Amino acid sequence: MALNIPADLDLHLAGEEIGRLLLARRMKLAAAESCTGGWLSKVVTEIAGCSDWFDCSFVAYSYEAKETMLGISRVILEQHGAVSEETVVEMVRGALSRSRANVAVAITGIAGPSGGTPGKPVGTVWLAWGRGHHPPVTQVIHLQGDRDAVRRHTVAAALEGLKKILITPNEAF
């Protein structure tokens, strides 16, 4: 999914727009976050009335938390790593199956300043969006900047992806 993320995106306004879209569709959101450490959930819970459309958040940083909270297989984590398409797909599926939400977003990545490898450098982030029983949509992004910039841009990308899947008709998702 190609995302167009304005550099000056106001996260609060983007969160409000997601809330309006979810309310209009009578849907609830869940989040599964790793490298953003709950930042996306912070953005949406700053919006008054979000309890009408935001169900819960799973901040699962360690392998153990990903296994326990989201039901991710240790085999997937060991074979593909925490920062992979396979893991983020399982994160979004876990968020949907372990909540009352019918829309979910999952985020895992390497925000830095350390932790990168030649194959997965700092700034590598995997995102997944899921809706109902449709197969999740995934995207990898490669970001520049310090830890704060990577995390902020990741939250912006997650919100833009949510907007895109919410305005996409069910049969096209």
Side-chain angles (χ1 to χ4, degrees):
M1 170 170 41
L3 299 175
N4 182 21
I5 305 154
D8 62 344
L9 180 71
D10 182 316
L11 296 178
H12 185 79
L13 291 177
E16 286 180 335
E17 184 174 13
I18 296 305
R20 284 191 298 274
L21 289 168
L22 287 162
L23 274 174
R25 289 155 180 75
R26 293 189 172 110
M27 299 175 98
K28 286 205 178 258
L29 173 65
E33 300 183 67
S34 187
C35 68
T36 48
W39 193 339
L40 179 124
S41 300
K42 178 186 181 301
V43 167
V44 299
T45 58
E46 286 177 341
I47 300 164
C50 68
S51 60
D52 291 336
W53 51 270
F54 183 64
D55 185 47
C56 64
S57 174
F58 303 88
V59 179
Y61 217 77
S62 69
Y63 276 22
E64 291 76 18
K66 287 175 175 68
E67 288 177 280
T68 303
M69 295 170 67
L70 296 165
I72 299 173
S73 159
R74 176 60 71 143
V75 172
I76 292 215
L77 291 166
E78 289 177 353
Q79 287 183 354
H80 302 284
V83 181
S84 66
E85 183 173 26
E86 293 81 3
T87 295
V88 81
V89 163
E90 292 304 308
M91 288 174 70
V92 81
R93 287 181 176 150
L96 284 167
S97 69
R98 294 171 183 237
S99 71
R100 296 177 309 129
N102 37 24
V103 176
V105 59
I107 301 164
T108 187
I110 306 165
S114 61
T117 65
K120 294 179 187 176
V122 169
T124 302
V125 178
W126 275 98
L127 300 116
W129 299 269
R131 189 170 77 187
H133 297 291
H134 298 280
V137 175
T138 62
Q139 181 173 5
V140 64
I141 55 178
H142 299 281
L143 304 170
Q144 300 294 316
D146 64 13
R147 184 175 181 82
D148 193 62
V150 168
R151 289 164 37 112
R152 184 192 187 290
H153 193 85
T154 297
V155 171
L159 291 168
E160 283 297 302
L162 279 169
K163 177 179 163 184
K164 193 165 187 172
I165 70 159
L166 287 169
I167 60 176
T168 300
N170 274 338
E171 55 277 356
F173 182 77

